[in-house]
Amino acid sequence: MSSPQRVSSNLQNPVTPDLDWQTLDRVLAGDASAADEDHVRAWVGASPDRRLMVESLLRRNGSLASVDVDRAWQSVASRTVSAPHVDRKWTIGWVAAAGVVIAVGSFISARMLRTSAQQVQIPTSWHELSSPLGKRTIVTLPDSTRVVLNAESSLRYSSMFGERTREVFLTGEAYFTVRADSARPFRVRANNAEIQDVGTRFMVRAYDAAHGTLVVVDEGAVGIASAGSLGHDTVVVTPGVLARMSPSGAVTTMATNATKYVGFANGLLATSGLTLSEAVPVIERWYDVKIYVADPMLGRRPLARDFHDEPLSNVLNALGALLDADVRRSGRLVTISPRSNN
Amino acid sequence: MFMGPNELSSIDQNDRIQRGDSAAFERLFRSHYDALCSFAVRYTDSAAIAEELVQDVFARVWTDRSRWPAPQNQRAYLFTAVRNRALNVGRRRQLEDDWIEAETALAHEEDESADALSAAAMDSEPHIFLERAVASLPERCRLVMHLRWHESMSYADIAAVMGISTKGVENQLSRGLRALRRAFGVAH
C-alpha cells in the first residue's frame, strides 16, 4: 500500500527510481563501483536539476588557492629538521664548551647556522627583553640605542654586544633609534634577514617567518640582506620605502607612508587604509584580545581611521560605528557581526 | 589484510620519521600540507592562520616523532591534530558547540532557507549557488562533507577526526545531501 505521493513520483520518473544517498555519496567521494556510476548517470540523465547538482558537487574545489608548499616547508624546516639541537639552558646562563655554536632558538635559519659555525662564536651569555601581548615596551641598549618593542615581541643580544659590533636578534616588531657609531655597525637579525645601519631610526617587523620581514626607515638609511650576505647582496632602504624580505631571501620594495608602520612607537594604532581582516591581528596584539569577525563580507570593509592608544572600549565603539556592525565583548573575546535588523 | 607496495613504503617511511629522517618528514609534510590547510581554513576563516596552525601541527609531529602513529592512521591523526588545534584556537569552539546544540532544532529552518535561494541564481551561477546552499548547512555537516567528498576519507576516519560515531557521519552526509537536493529542487 503506497502513499499517493510515492505513486506520483513513480509516474514522473518511471525509468529511474530514486537514488539512495549512499550511492551518491560513494560517487562524490570517488569510492564508487561501476554499477554505482551507472546508477548515478541514469539518475542524473533524467533531470537537469539533478545534473546541475551532481556536476557542481563533483567540480567543487575545496582547496586553498594561496598555499605555497615550498615556502611553508622552509618555514617548518627551520623550526624542525634544520633547527639546531640545543641545550635549552642557554637562555639563562653560560654555554659551557668552547667551540659550541651559540644557537638562537627557533628563529635561526639553516643559513644563519652555517654562518655562525664559520665564525665560531665564543661562549657568551644572552640578554632577552620582551614585550607581552597588549603592551609596548621601551628599552635602552648598552650603547644607548633606544628600542620600542611592540606587543608580543622580543629582542636578544649577547654579553659581547658593543665590543666590536652591535647585533640584536628580533622576533616581532620593534622601532630602533640607533646611536650613531660607524666603527661598530648596528645589526638586526630577524627571520632570515640581516639589517645593518649606522645611525638612524627605523622599524623592523618580523612576527612570523612565513610572512617575511618588513623594514621601514623613518630617517637615514639601512641595508637589508639575507643573513650572512651583508656587504654583497645588500638592498639599501631609505625613508618612504617599504622593504620586504621573503622567506626565500628575495627583497622587494615599494613606496609607502612610513607613519602606518612606525606609528606604534608613539602610541599610534594605525588601521586606516587596512581592511577589518587586516586590522584584526594588529588590534588583537595591541589590546591582547581575540577578535572573531562573524561575516567574511564585513572583514573586507576598509577602516577609515587610526587610534591614538585609546582604551579598547573606544576602539570597539568606533569600529561598531564605522562598520555599522554589532561589536560584543566578553572578557578577552570580541565578536564583530553584521548589525541585526530587529 | 593484503599489503600493497604503498603500505609497505609508508611503514618504511614511518620508521624513518621515528628515527628522525628529515627527508621522510619532508615527504609527509608535502603530501598532506595542502589538504590540511584546506581543512583548517574551515575553522579559522583565514588562510594565513590556517597555514600557521598546520605548520604548528607538523612542528609538533617532529618534536614528538617517537610517538608517531601506525602508518594506516597517519592521515586521520594529522587531521585530528589540526582540528584539535583549531578548536584550541578557541574563537570557533563556542560556535561549533552551538551548532551541535542547534542542529536538530534548526533542521527544518535550514531546509527552508535553502529553498529560499532564487532559481535564477541557480541557472546563472551554479557554483556560487552551490556554495551558498552549502554555507547554509551547519558547520559540522560541512566539515564532514569536505572530509568525505574532497578528501575521500572513510566513515571511520571521519568519525575519528570529528570525534563522532560512524553513524553520526552517515547522518551528517544524508542530511547534507537531502538539504542540497532540496536547494537544487531535486525533490526525488
Side-chain angles (χ1 to χ4, degrees), chain B:
Chain B
M1 194 180 112
F2 171 74
M3 222 172 244
N6 288 337
E7 279 97 331
L8 279 175
S9 79
S10 77
I11 284 179
D12 185 40
Q13 188 136 326
N14 197 54
D15 282 348
R16 285 166 190 249
I17 290 170
Q18 291 192 343
R19 286 199 310 267
D21 178 335
S22 59
F25 179 61
E26 181 171 353
R27 277 195 294 277
L28 179 84
F29 177 87
R30 288 182 180 277
S31 45
H32 295 290
Y33 184 70
D34 209 339
L36 290 168
C37 289
S38 307
F39 179 60
V41 79
R42 275 146 231 281
Y43 286 93
T44 62
D45 285 340
S46 146
I49 296 176
E51 286 205 56
E52 194 179 307
L53 195 151
V54 172
Q55 292 180 18
D56 285 349
V57 164
F58 274 103
R60 191 60 182 268
V61 163
W62 182 252
T63 319
D64 294 349
R65 57 189 175 274
S66 57
R67 292 207 294 273
W68 184 233
Q72 63 270 25
N73 298 333
Q74 286 175 1
R75 196 160 73 120
Y77 178 93
L78 287 170
F79 275 88
T80 308
V82 164
R83 175 172 181 268
N84 288 340
R85 183 128 197 138
L87 292 177
N88 281 340
V89 167
R91 60 183 69 183
R92 295 304 296 274
R93 177 186 276 279
Q94 188 59 45
L95 277 179
E96 201 189 31
D97 289 349
D98 287 350
W99 275 121
I100 298 162
E101 297 293 322
E103 249 176 70
T104 334
L106 284 178
H108 286 291
E109 286 174 41
E110 287 147 20
D111 290 350
E112 277 161 23
S113 73
D115 280 345
L117 297 169
S118 79
M122 183 163 92
D123 287 340
S124 58
E125 288 292 346
H127 301 104
I128 293 173
F129 181 81
L130 175 72
E131 290 314 317
R132 285 174 62 189
V134 168
S136 72
L137 295 168
E139 173 151 298
R140 170 164 297 206
C141 185
R142 294 201 301 265
L143 289 163
V144 169
M145 293 191 323
H146 174 81
L147 291 176
R148 175 69 184 158
W149 301 334
H150 195 70
E151 301 302 334
S152 304
M153 248 187 214
S154 68
Y155 291 177
D157 280 357
I158 298 171
V161 170
M162 297 301 297
I164 57 180
S165 64
T166 51
K167 187 73 199 156
V169 173
E170 293 179 23
N171 288 343
Q172 298 292 348
L173 290 172
S174 68
R175 169 180 302 173
L177 275 178
R178 200 163 59 232
L180 291 177
R181 284 176 67 159
R182 217 177 275 246
F184 275 83
V186 182
H188 305 290

Side-chain angles (χ1 to χ4, degrees), chain A:
Chain A
M1 193 167 66
S2 48
S3 68
Q5 236 177 345
R6 170 53 75 75
V7 170
S8 91
S9 133
N10 283 342
L11 283 176
Q12 276 174 5
N13 295 300
V15 199
T16 57
D18 196 14
L19 189 71
D20 60 33
W21 71 266
Q22 288 94 338
T23 311
L24 184 50
D25 166 64
R26 284 194 295 274
V27 168
L28 292 172
D31 193 17
S33 66
D36 288 339
E37 284 176 4
D38 288 345
H39 192 169
V40 169
R41 209 171 288 125
W43 184 78
V44 157
S47 128
D49 287 341
R50 291 174 181 178
R51 186 180 51 73
L52 198 59
M53 175 177 109
V54 173
E55 280 183 357
S56 344
L57 277 168
L58 282 170
R59 245 183 295 173
R60 184 163 183 252
N61 185 354
S63 293
L64 265 178
S66 63
V67 166
D68 178 344
V69 180
D70 289 329
R71 206 176 81 166
W73 169 248
Q74 275 189 354
S75 161
V76 168
S78 71
R79 295 162 63 182
T80 55
V81 295
S82 317
H85 297 279
V86 196
D87 183 349
R88 285 172 188 272
K89 276 180 283 184
W90 67 269
T91 45
I92 49 161
W94 293 76
V95 177
V100 164
V101 174
I102 304 303
V104 277
S106 57
F107 60 95
I108 195 162
S109 70
R111 193 164 179 182
M112 284 168 68
L113 182 63
R114 278 197 301 277
T115 312
S116 11
Q118 283 154 11
Q119 292 168 350
V120 192
Q121 295 183 24
I122 60 166
T124 183
S125 66
W126 291 81
H127 303 275
E128 176 166 354
L129 306 160
S130 60
S131 190
L133 272 168
K135 292 235 160 38
R136 280 147 302 287
T137 308
I138 301 172
V139 296
T140 305
L141 298 179
D143 66 337
S144 69
T145 285
R146 181 173 172 274
V147 185
V148 182
L149 271 177
N150 206 349
E152 206 185 4
S153 303
S154 66
L155 194 71
R156 294 167 210 234
Y157 59 92
S158 85
S159 58
M160 318 240 322
F161 178 91
E163 283 183 17
R164 287 165 66 187
T165 61
R166 297 175 290 166
E167 187 167 54
V168 295
F169 294 83
L170 170 72
T171 315
E173 185 168 40
Y175 181 84
F176 298 89
T177 306
V178 177
R179 166 99 187 273
D181 182 351
S182 53
R184 297 180 304 161
F186 189 91
R187 278 185 201 148
V188 182
R189 287 194 176 197
N191 291 329
N192 55 335
E194 200 167 334
I195 298 129
Q196 177 161 329
D197 141 296
V198 280
T200 174
R201 295 188 288 143
F202 65 103
M203 179 282 331
V204 178
R205 182 185 296 171
Y207 274 112
D208 171 4
H211 290 98
T213 307
L214 302 185
V215 177
V216 171
V217 175
D218 221 3
E219 188 188 299
V222 303
I224 178 170
S226 278
S229 309
L230 263 181
H232 36 281
D233 273 334
T234 307
V235 174
V236 174
V237 188
T238 49
V241 171
L242 167 68
R244 174 177 180 273
M245 175 173 287
S246 73
S248 65
V251 177
T252 48
T253 57
M254 57 183 277
T256 191
N257 172 7
T259 320
K260 216 164 107 182
Y261 292 93
V262 304
F264 76 88
N266 299 313
L268 176 74
L269 172 56
T271 52
S272 66
L274 301 181
T275 63
L276 177 60
S277 296
E278 290 167 333
V280 158
V282 181
I283 303 171
E284 284 183 336
R285 209 169 262 140
W286 193 278
Y287 291 105
D288 187 16
V289 290
K290 285 288 164 200
I291 299 176
Y292 172 63
V293 179
D295 175 11
M297 294 301 289
L298 209 48
R300 288 196 275 274
R301 298 270 301 277
L303 300 182
R305 63 165 286 190
D306 295 328
F307 299 94
H308 294 272
D309 209 5
E310 294 158 52
L312 175 61
S313 56
N314 284 10
V315 174
L316 296 182
N317 287 340
L319 285 180
L322 273 172
L323 300 165
D324 191 27
D326 274 332
V327 181
R328 291 208 192 84
R329 178 180 168 195
S330 142
R332 306 234 71 82
L333 181 71
V334 175
T335 308
I336 304 180
S337 43
R339 184 154 289 166
S340 46
N341 292 322
N342 40 28

